[in-house]
Amino acid sequence: MSDGVDLVVFGAMVAVFIVITLLLGWYGYRNTKDNQEFLLGRNKASPLIIALSYGSTFLSASAVIGFGGQAAVHGMTMIWLCFLNLFVGLIVAFLVFGGPTRRKGRELGASTYADLLGKIYKSKGIRAFTAILIIVMMPIYAAAVLKGGVNSLATITGLNEYYDLILILLAIIVAVYVVYGGIIAVMYNDAFQAAIMFVGMAVILIVTYSYFGGVTAGNSALVDLWNTKFSEMGSIAGTQEGFNGWTNFSDFGSTEWLTVVTTFLLGVGIGALTQPQLAVRFMSAKSDRDLNKSLLVGSIFMIVIVGSAYTVGALSNVYFFQEDGAIAYEYITSIGLGTDFIIPQFILEIFNGMTFGDVFVSLFLLSLVCAAISTISALLHTIGAAGGYDLYTLYQNKKGRLQGDSQSVRLNRICIVVIMVLLVVYCYLMPSDIIAKATSVFMGMTAAALLPAYFHALYSKNPCRKAALASISVGTVSYLFLALFINTGTSVFLPICNLLTGQKVLFPDSFLASTDPLVIALPLSIITMAVALVVFRRTENSTAEAC
């Protein structure tokens, strides 16, 4: 086990990084003249900036260390998530949702995701619900990303005793450039951080395969490890019933299959379509042509980042077994750490003693910091806007003190500061190994509640508000019930079921306990939308009332 990164090398990199980050924050501040520019920064970002900002926001520390760690446990099945990230999270998102979102937003003068849905449906209730959903659920995701980044930073540097200081400093750096620079600073910093992530993860993938003697040799070693050492055991530490090795899919319908496919693959893959912080990137683009140009760059970026993380995660089993006599999960738990630390520990050890190893470790660590910061800044900006712009506008409209939307940049900045303080506090309350689960929960919740209404809003000439409200209500209630009372993986976030019944979930031995809530809640939400459209359209035709 290595003692940590060279602090001199890493410190020099961090110093340069902080200077550039603050300069980009200053650039955003200089180019933010009003609230519209603070929220959207329209016409300020090129296709390259949009692509890198979208990619780095989407692929946070959860992709690198959270899901990379899960790939070490569950194997290369997680590569399918790379495909879903690319096809659904990028191609479908840009081609199906991107253009209409940009055009509708520009036409209606919308500045946030909640504002967009509210204005399309002409519903203050939908706008308020979406803003509240963001404020309540998004901090879980944001705090998990922040916690994961700080945990890895403290562990790799060997500065665990300074955990509190690292957490606060990281939070302050993000808050400063988000508060002052708005979305322009966020997106330009995202692009800068994405470039670091790209180089760092590409180097790690190359070095990992070089260690094993090439791509074929590395993959063969992973197959041989399972066939010669563990195949007769069935499930191994960290996995569940139905696991068939790191290069094979688990048995259909097994507990392992349900966990990997429904929670990790579908939960995150589909949930990417309704991310408010990503939709804002569409709304900030100057034209549909710029969005299309962004697609190619974004695709290359996504393949390298997630493909590297998931591949390296699975291959780490061979490395740890050869060097320490245990697979990744067993080794990391034996030294008192969890799955979120598998990738950082692997990088720390594989580069130990290598020429320029300290430089590469520092580069990876900086990549990890970038992955965390890029997502946190986007989430922080989105949460702050939901409170300081959407809810404040609705409140002032109701009181009759304001016509139209709030133009207060100062209030948005105050909300962002408050939210960052809450995120730091929440980091201390969250359990370990939560990054992948928190990502899945937030994305699953937004998809179940909003995906049908979002799609209908973009493609219907006369969006039906009542049908949207019905779909949102059913999707929200069903997801929350399943998450809190049925699924064992999500019930840990708020153990209401345990408090009421004395057990973690209502049916612990059923297949539902391992089935992600999205798999049930989203179809219910879609069916509700379809049925409601038929019912309300028919009522509208017979009574001449607006749907």
Side-chain angles (χ1 to χ4, degrees), residues 39 265 431:
L39 295 171
L265 303 189

Side-chain angles (χ1 to χ4, degrees), residues 227 387 451:
N227 290 337
L451 184 54

Side-chain angles (χ1 to χ4, degrees), residues 111-423:
S111 298
T112 66
Y113 185 69
D115 189 19
L116 175 68
L117 292 181
K119 286 179 177 175
I120 290 176
Y121 284 108
K122 300 177 182 178
S123 170
K124 294 180 179 179
I126 290 178
R127 182 177 182 181
F129 170 83
T130 306
I132 291 171
L133 178 65
I134 290 169
I135 292 172
V136 173
M137 296 299 296
M138 192 176 278
I140 296 175
Y141 177 26
V145 173
L146 178 59
K147 183 182 181 73
V150 174
N151 283 347
S152 297
L153 187 59
T155 299
I156 296 181
T157 57
L159 299 175
N160 288 289
E161 66 270 25
Y162 297 104
Y163 179 92
D164 295 340
L165 180 61
I166 294 172
L167 175 62
I168 293 172
L169 286 177
L170 195 61
I172 289 174
I173 291 172
V174 176
V176 166
Y177 77 77
V178 175
V179 166
Y180 286 102
I183 193 65
I184 298 173
V186 170
M187 292 182 69
Y188 273 82
N189 267 299
D190 285 349
F192 165 59
Q193 292 154 11
I196 297 175
M197 291 167 61
F198 185 89
V199 174
M201 294 309 297
V203 168
I204 289 164
L205 181 63
I206 293 171
V207 169
T208 298
Y209 270 124
S210 297
Y211 172 86
F212 293 114
V215 175
T216 301
N219 293 342
S220 297
L222 189 60
V223 174
D224 293 341
L225 178 62
W226 171 258
N227 290 337
T228 60
K229 301 292 183 181
F230 298 99
S231 60
E232 295 182 359
M233 297 173 56
S235 61
I236 56 177
T239 65
Q240 302 173 75
E241 174 268 327
F243 182 73
N244 289 321
W246 297 285
T247 58
N248 298 313
F249 227 99
S250 51
D251 294 335
F252 178 80
S254 65
T255 304
E256 175 75 10
W257 186 91
L258 289 170
T259 299
V260 172
V261 174
T262 66
T263 298
F264 296 141
L265 303 189
L266 296 181
V268 176
I270 297 175
L273 296 174
T274 51
Q275 295 304 287
Q277 72 277 13
L278 299 180
V280 169
R281 270 66 185 161
F282 300 144
M283 296 166 67
S284 68
K286 183 178 181 180
S287 66
D288 287 3
R289 185 178 180 182
D290 282 355
L291 286 179
N292 294 334
K293 289 180 180 178
S294 301
L295 188 56
L296 177 60
V297 177
S299 298
I300 296 172
F301 174 80
M302 190 166 292
I303 289 173
V304 170
I305 300 300
V306 295
S308 298
Y310 303 160
T311 301
V312 168
L315 290 172
S316 69
N317 286 287
V318 180
Y319 175 84
F320 285 122
F321 192 83
Q322 291 177 351
E323 298 294 326
D324 303 289
I327 59 174
Y329 181 83
E330 292 175 337
Y331 175 72
I332 209 70
T333 53
S334 71
I335 60 176
L337 301 174
T339 55
D340 289 345
F341 292 92
I342 291 176
I343 295 296
Q345 189 64 36
F346 169 73
I347 300 304
L348 191 61
E349 295 198 17
I350 198 171
F351 283 111
N352 186 36
M354 184 182 296
T355 303
F356 299 115
D358 288 326
V359 175
F360 291 134
V361 172
S362 297
L363 178 61
F364 165 74
L365 189 52
L366 191 58
S367 300
L368 196 59
V369 171
C370 290
I373 286 180
S374 60
T375 298
I376 295 168
S377 63
L379 299 178
L380 189 63
H381 180 270
T382 302
I383 301 169
Y389 178 72
D390 289 307
L391 292 186
Y392 180 73
T393 292
L394 293 172
Y395 173 76
Q396 291 291 69
N397 288 166
K398 185 176 181 179
K399 293 293 184 180
R401 300 171 183 169
L402 178 69
Q403 296 296 322
D405 296 308
S406 169
Q407 299 302 316
S408 175
V409 177
R410 182 181 181 185
L411 184 59
N412 289 328
R413 288 171 169 161
I414 291 173
C415 286
I416 289 172
V417 172
V418 172
I419 292 298
M420 180 52 89
V421 173
L422 293 177
L423 291 184

